[in-house]
Amino acid sequence: MFAGFYEELHEEFRELAREFSAREVAPHYADWEKAHRMDRSLWTAAGEQGLLGLAVPEEFGGMGLNDYRFRMVLDEELCRAGHESVGLAFHLHDDWVLPALLRYGNDEQQGRWLPRMVDGSLVTSVAWTEPGCGSDLRGVRTKAVPDGEDWVLDGQKTFIGNGITGDAALVLARTDGSSPTERGGAHSFSLFFVEKTAGYDVGSPLEKMGLTASDTAELFFTGVRVPGANLIGELGAGLRYVHELLPQGRLAVATSSVVLAAQTLRATREYVSQRQVSDRTVDEFQNTRFRLADMQVSLEVTQHYVAQAVTRFNDGELSLTDASKAKMWASERAKELIDQCLQLHGGYGYILEYPVAKAYLAVRLFTIFGGTSEVLRDTIARDLVS
């Protein structure tokens, strides 16, 4: 980020993250991209190094690090090495599922799942989105019906990261018996921690534009028996919980956006200083210098804005509206910046061998994942005109 944002402890953690990326990720990443999934050994290795569940209390095997800057350091080092898919997979586990268990899980649930999520033996995914509803979660059709002490789950989810390699999903389902053809009410949905069992089926990997090493798939639930003990928090509180979890999830996308933008601009400055056109390096052209100047200013403004959001999150003061602002701004600026960086690479920017091409494909997810920019603008506007 910028001088003064990180402290000595963060830089010590950076060395650990950098070593992990070089030793455990780099030798295998190209194969994982081709296979559209990462080996489970990655997760156990990350657990052994203490890189998962940073905010989990020590009593459950974590380090109790509630400072989000540590997550950013890990992101920066993975991005610096071109391992963005690993960062995405870890975000799903750490920024969407773990906060739900830390905030709403009871003692028994936390003791049962958190230690395994920290050591990497239990990999999780977020199963909220469905084929017909996208960001409109009141349109979720998946339903859970009580049957004795259990629930019976039926439905379908899509765009589920870690869906193939994962062992369990945090599922949003209707529990009030309302018709799935109608939008649910404020108390129509509940959250369940659903572990893979009979009736829990995974579709084929979805072929994505980018971030291919992170597996994404559809999930199908057919008569899945979910123990009553796997209900997270209160019955009917699912939508409220989702809204309360969104600030951290959207902050994660905002930080990933600014990290990827910074790394791509750094690589582009190096490229244009070496690439020659008409007996001059590309950075000797006025057009290039002006573009670099504009991008640097845009990046620094975005870095400071996101840093402010991180500080507010650490202080427990980041609202959903402010997290939405940070995500919308950072992801849109990163998309614009990386597009210009690709242009400055010329034909080489279109070749996947070059990091800028992979960054271009990766950043395109960030204005969609965690709420599209259009949905975020609506969230922000409602706050302005309420």
Side-chain angles (χ1 to χ4, degrees):
M1 290 286 279
F2 50 84
F5 183 67
Y6 293 124
E7 300 172 15
E8 184 177 352
L9 280 176
H10 301 110
E11 298 306 329
E12 292 175 1
F13 181 74
R14 183 183 303 281
E15 293 302 315
L16 176 66
R18 184 172 297 175
E19 180 184 352
F20 168 80
S21 182
R23 186 182 65 252
E24 303 292 346
V25 182
H28 314 290
Y29 194 75
D31 292 334
W32 294 344
E33 287 188 310
K34 294 176 183 177
H36 288 222
R37 71 184 71 181
M38 294 171 278
D39 290 343
R40 283 297 298 266
S41 60
L42 169 75
W43 291 90
T44 53
E48 290 172 357
Q49 294 298 311
L51 299 178
L52 299 176
L54 299 179
V56 173
E58 293 182 12
E59 63 185 291
F60 298 117
M63 292 190 289
L65 297 175
N66 290 307
D67 182 348
Y68 201 80
R69 288 176 292 179
F70 287 99
R71 287 289 300 120
M72 290 192 67
V73 168
L74 178 57
D75 255 6
E76 285 180 350
E77 292 310 310
L78 290 170
C79 184
R80 189 187 305 275
H83 303 152
E84 295 89 355
S85 292
V86 177
L88 173 62
F90 286 179
H91 272 303
L92 293 167
H93 188 76
D94 269 21
D95 288 309
W96 296 90
V97 181
L98 273 173
L101 298 181
L102 288 171
R103 183 177 295 194
Y104 311 116
N106 56 40
D107 292 343
E108 187 276 333
Q109 291 171 336
Q110 292 179 350
R112 182 159 38 124
W113 296 317
L114 291 183
R116 295 171 56 207
M117 293 178 71
V118 170
D119 68 23
S121 61
L122 178 65
V123 177
T124 61
S125 59
V126 183
W128 297 349
T129 307
E130 298 188 359
C133 66
S135 298
D136 181 16
L137 294 182
R138 290 202 179 196
V140 162
R141 296 189 174 196
T142 296
K143 63 179 181 179
V145 178
D147 184 19
E149 296 183 356
D150 298 339
W151 293 83
V152 177
L153 183 70
D154 289 279
Q156 178 182 353
K157 301 291 182 176
T158 194
F159 309 137
I160 309 304
N162 299 342
I164 296 175
T165 55
D167 307 294
L170 185 66
V171 177
L172 182 70
R174 287 180 185 249
T175 51
D176 68 345
S178 59
S179 171
T181 60
E182 300 175 359
R183 294 180 75 246
H187 306 289
S188 297
F189 306 92
S190 302
L191 283 179
F192 295 90
F193 192 85
V194 184
E195 299 176 84
K196 284 184 176 177
T197 185
Y200 183 137
D201 297 309
V202 179
S204 300
L206 297 175
E207 299 286 338
K208 298 180 297 185
M209 289 172 56
L211 297 166
T212 56
S214 172
D215 66 89
T216 304
E218 292 182 301
L219 301 182
F220 302 91
F221 306 112
T222 307
V224 177
R225 298 197 70 84
V226 182
N230 287 31
L231 171 68
I232 304 300
E234 301 175 6
L235 184 66
L239 276 186
R240 174 166 63 85
Y241 292 163
V242 167
H243 286 183
E244 292 171 355
L245 293 169
L246 280 175
Q248 180 168 346
R250 289 180 176 171
L251 179 65
V253 182
T255 58
S256 296
S257 298
V258 76
V259 163
L260 184 59
Q263 173 58 23
T264 306
L265 182 55
R266 186 182 303 115
T268 300
R269 289 201 306 267
E270 180 178 349
Y271 176 83
V272 297
S273 71
Q274 299 173 357
R275 176 67 172 166
Q276 288 198 331
V277 175
S278 301
D279 297 325
R280 287 191 289 173
T281 57
V282 174
D283 67 354
E284 293 183 79
F285 289 91
Q286 187 183 63
N287 175 69
T288 302
R289 299 164 74 88
F290 281 5
R291 287 200 180 195
L292 290 175
D294 287 344
M295 288 190 286
Q296 185 63 34
V297 172
S298 177
L299 174 64
E300 291 184 16
V301 168
T302 304
Q303 286 177 322
H304 280 272
Y305 190 30
V306 171
Q308 181 186 61
V310 170
T311 300
R312 296 184 68 180
F313 177 78
N314 285 345
D315 293 338
E317 298 175 353
L318 185 66
S319 68
L320 175 57
T321 298
D322 287 338
S324 300
K325 291 176 182 177
K327 177 192 178 300
M328 185 193 75
W329 177 267
S331 62
E332 291 287 351
R333 298 294 79 72
K335 184 180 70 171
E336 294 170 358
L337 184 150
I338 292 173
D339 180 69
Q340 292 191 58
C341 286
L342 188 149
Q343 186 71 22
L344 288 177
H345 278 72
Y348 288 103
Y350 201 66
I351 305 302
L352 283 175
E353 178 183 341
Y354 281 72
V356 69
K358 292 184 179 180
Y360 181 84
L361 296 175
V363 76
R364 200 59 192 86
L365 173 67
F366 295 160
T367 60
I368 300 171
F369 173 57
T372 64
S373 292
E374 291 71 27
V375 167
L376 301 188
R377 288 186 176 96
D378 188 61
T379 298
I380 297 165
R382 284 202 306 270
D383 186 67
L384 290 173
V385 301
S386 61

